[in-house]
Each structure stands twice: as structure tokens, then as C-alpha cells.
Amino acid sequence: TLKHNSSTRKADLRTSRHRRQLSNGASARVVLYVSAAFGAARMFIGATSALYLVSKGVQPEHVFYLKAFQAGAMLVIQVPLGWISDRVSRRWPIAIAIILGALWLLLTAVSTSIPTLYVAELCNALSLALMAGALHAEFVDRSIAHHKDNNRNESDNLAQDISRLNNFEFRAMAVSAGLGGLIYGIAPTTTWLFASAACLVIFTSYV
């Protein structure tokens, strides 16, 4: 009986924490726009990022080391950061991820040394890990809550919402990458600074 009561209390605490997160967060539509806008801001430099690093004097093999460092750091920190965001709040990890994304873009734009680029890639890894652990989970929770409040079939509508999110993200990122590639030919550094500024605009709109 004691074990059952303890399990019940833990379940109640999780439910209470989950409801608190939902009451303090944004709507599914806002999360969708934030996800698409942030992806588009990052992809503004996506088509030319390696070319830009090489143009700054970074050796091609060192570009690989930088990206390997970013991927390794993300692999290590993604699970613990996701665990923390699930138990505390997803709103602020998303906001911090946007700021770190802006910092990654800014540091890469102004860097004059390899160590600065590694710091930038660490910011990039933290940003991606925080987003991966929070944003889509937040969108799913918001979508389910919305359909439940409107007495709709949650699973069917959730599948439609996820499809809409993926399509919206893909189109926004594709258009952004194309525009960024065009502007890069005129002002390479400006593309990174513009993407960084766009992240700050997204942050202020979200918080």
C-alpha cells in the first residue's frame, strides 16, 4: 500500500508539473512559428558555412574538426539537457537555445582565431541540444492540449500538426538557404550577422 501511495504521489507531482508548464508556455502555433523561424535563421548561412570558414583562412580539414567537435559535444549534452527541460520547463531552454544560436553566428562572423571558432561551435552544440530536447516536445504537448480542450481526436490531429510543422520548417529553411546563398556572394560576413540578428528578433518575440 505504501509503495502504491508513493507511486501515486509521484504521478500526481509529474501531472502537476506538466500542467504548470502548459499554463506558462506558448501556444502550439507560436511554437510552430518559432521552430520554423529559428531553423530559417540558422539555414540562412547553411549553404555557404563551410565556404565561409575556408575564406577566413581555416584549413578544410579543420572545418571537419570543428563540426566533429560540435557533433560530439551535442551527443554528450543532449540527453541530460532534455531530461532537465522535461522536469523544469521547456520555455526557457528554448529561449536560451535561440540566444546561443545568435551567439554562435555572431562569434563565427567576427572570429579571428581557431579557439574562438571552437567556442562558437560549443554554443552551436548547446543551442541544438536544447532545441532538440525541448521544442518538438513542447509542440506536441501544446497540440494535444489544444485538441483536448476542443474535444477533438488527439492522435489524428496531432499527426496532422506534426506534418504541418515539418512542412513549414522545410519550406522556411529552403527559402532561407537560397536567399542566404545569393546574399553571400555580395557580403559574406553580412549573412552571418543578419542571421544572428534574426535570432535575437525571434528571441524577443518568443519571450
Side-chain angles (χ1 to χ4, degrees):
T1 303
L2 289 173
K3 187 175 181 180
H4 175 73
N5 290 339
S6 175
S7 299
T8 303
R9 282 196 298 271
K10 288 179 180 178
D12 290 341
L13 284 172
R14 285 195 296 268
T15 302
S16 175
R17 182 169 58 235
H18 184 65
R19 286 173 177 169
R20 216 165 38 241
Q21 289 181 5
L22 288 177
S23 65
N24 293 333
S27 68
R29 182 172 295 179
V30 170
V31 176
L32 184 151
Y33 289 147
V34 167
S35 178
F38 184 62
R42 291 179 55 87
M43 280 305 296
F44 197 69
I45 52 86
T48 57
S49 59
L51 182 62
Y52 180 70
L53 291 173
V54 171
S55 73
K56 289 174 73 73
V58 179
Q59 295 299 314
E61 62 271 18
H62 220 111
V63 174
F64 170 78
Y65 298 148
L66 284 166
K67 293 304 176 182
F69 170 76
Q70 176 244 305
M74 184 179 172
L75 185 65
V76 171
I77 61 183
Q78 182 173 342
V79 172
L81 287 179
W83 185 87
I84 292 171
S85 66
D86 281 342
R87 281 152 183 77
V88 180
S89 170
R90 295 195 186 109
R91 179 178 178 80
W92 286 108
I94 292 172
I96 294 170
I98 298 171
I99 287 294
L100 287 169
L103 187 58
W104 159 60
L105 292 161
L106 177 62
L107 286 175
T108 304
V110 302
S111 66
T112 56
S113 66
I114 293 296
T116 304
L117 289 174
Y118 275 101
V119 173
E121 289 302 331
L122 179 59
C123 291
N124 188 20
L126 286 166
S127 175
L128 289 171
L130 283 167
M131 275 294 185
L135 193 138
H136 280 195
E138 178 77 349
F139 178 78
V140 168
D141 283 349
R142 295 287 160 194
S143 176
I144 291 174
H146 172 74
H147 295 307
K148 186 179 291 186
D149 290 343
N150 289 277
N151 298 316
R152 297 172 181 167
N153 185 294
E154 297 165 25
S155 58
D156 290 346
N157 284 283
L158 175 60
Q160 293 176 10
D161 287 346
I162 292 175
S163 177
R164 188 180 300 116
L165 172 67
N166 291 334
N167 287 332
F168 201 46
E169 284 182 332
F170 177 78
R171 291 175 182 177
M173 291 165 68
V175 171
S176 180
L179 289 175
L182 291 174
I183 296 174
Y184 177 85
I186 304 170
T189 301
T190 301
T191 58
W192 290 77
L193 296 175
F194 181 85
S196 180
C199 287
L200 294 178
V201 172
I202 296 166
F203 172 79
T204 55
S205 300
Y206 180 66
V207 298

